[in-house]
Amino acid sequence: MITGSVAYDCIETPEHSEDFILGGSASYAALAASFFTPARIVAVVGNDFKKSDVKRLVKRGVNLDNLAVNAELPTFLWRGKYHDNFNSRDTIDVQLNAFEGYNPILDDASKAAQYVLLGNISPEVQTAVLKAVKKPKFVVLDSMDLWINITRPALDALVKKCDLFILNDSEARLMTGEHNIINAGNRLRKSGSKSVIIKLGEYGSMLFHRDGFFTIPAYPVKQLYDPTGAGDSFAGALTGYIAKADKTDFSTIKKAMLYASATASITVESFSCYKLEKSGLKEIEKRVRKIREISKI
Ligand code: AMP
């Protein structure tokens, strides 16, 4: 079960721009998770959310029974602009819209979820969703700079309730004040979540776990189109893989990182979810083999 934003994105990269395309952390994450296990979204969209976008999620088997519609307001909107190297971006605009005053309602199937991804959205929504789940086995948490900056106490409280906290290097530095990423990861783990993954974009990702440290490179992408959603796809595929394995040990999380990295690399090769939604486990496994090959001596 995945919560997070279901959004319309307006994106500008050095080469292209597209407006009002399907995005949002829950959309990317659910599509990515759907390659491994049935995924369901708990979120809200607005009165402008297109039927064709509903179809894109449903086509991949994503369950939308708990996707509410706010008849008064439009869908969550995010406008982002990437710099020349694609590694940094500015949020030009973010409008919560349908999420204003959203009170998540979970049906019995969502309440019974064992594997939960609290995708990037306000800690208030993430906390309300987690509260409604009866007995989760494994909870993954994702966030971003906006929430770290404006809702830090709520996020800190949530981190303590989660099994795995995923964030990128700049967010880890922002949260800890540590420039050294190893120290930042260890500090985050000791002060909150049981395990922590720090993503390093094109340089891979690192896992800080009770049983040890692990790192993998990213899949070597040649055609980078739009990095939007890479982190959400990573989190979705990772949680989906763990749910499918029904195991949460160090070794399973390490394998899940390979699949997460491979899945995220598909997302960045197109705008929106265009390439991800058309992909499959075969392509993901091909990329997993490549990551294994380039990291073995
Ligand atoms: P990522 O590139 O993985 O960080 O995720 C980008 C996606 O997150 C976009 O599709 C946005 O719609 C969505 N997004 C951007 N800002 C926020 C926010 N503050 N809360 C929730 N989702 C957001």
Side-chain angles (χ1 to χ4, degrees), residues 5 7 9 23-24 28 76 78 89 120 144 146-147 228-232:
S5 53
D9 289 346
Y28 283 107
F76 182 106
W78 179 69
R89 72 179 180 204
N120 178 29
M144 81 184 291
L146 175 76
W147 307 118
T228 308
D232 312 312

Side-chain angles (χ1 to χ4, degrees), residues 7 12 68 106 109 148 197 238 278:
E12 191 183 330
L106 281 70
I148 298 171
I197 289 178
L238 185 108
K278 289 193 177 69

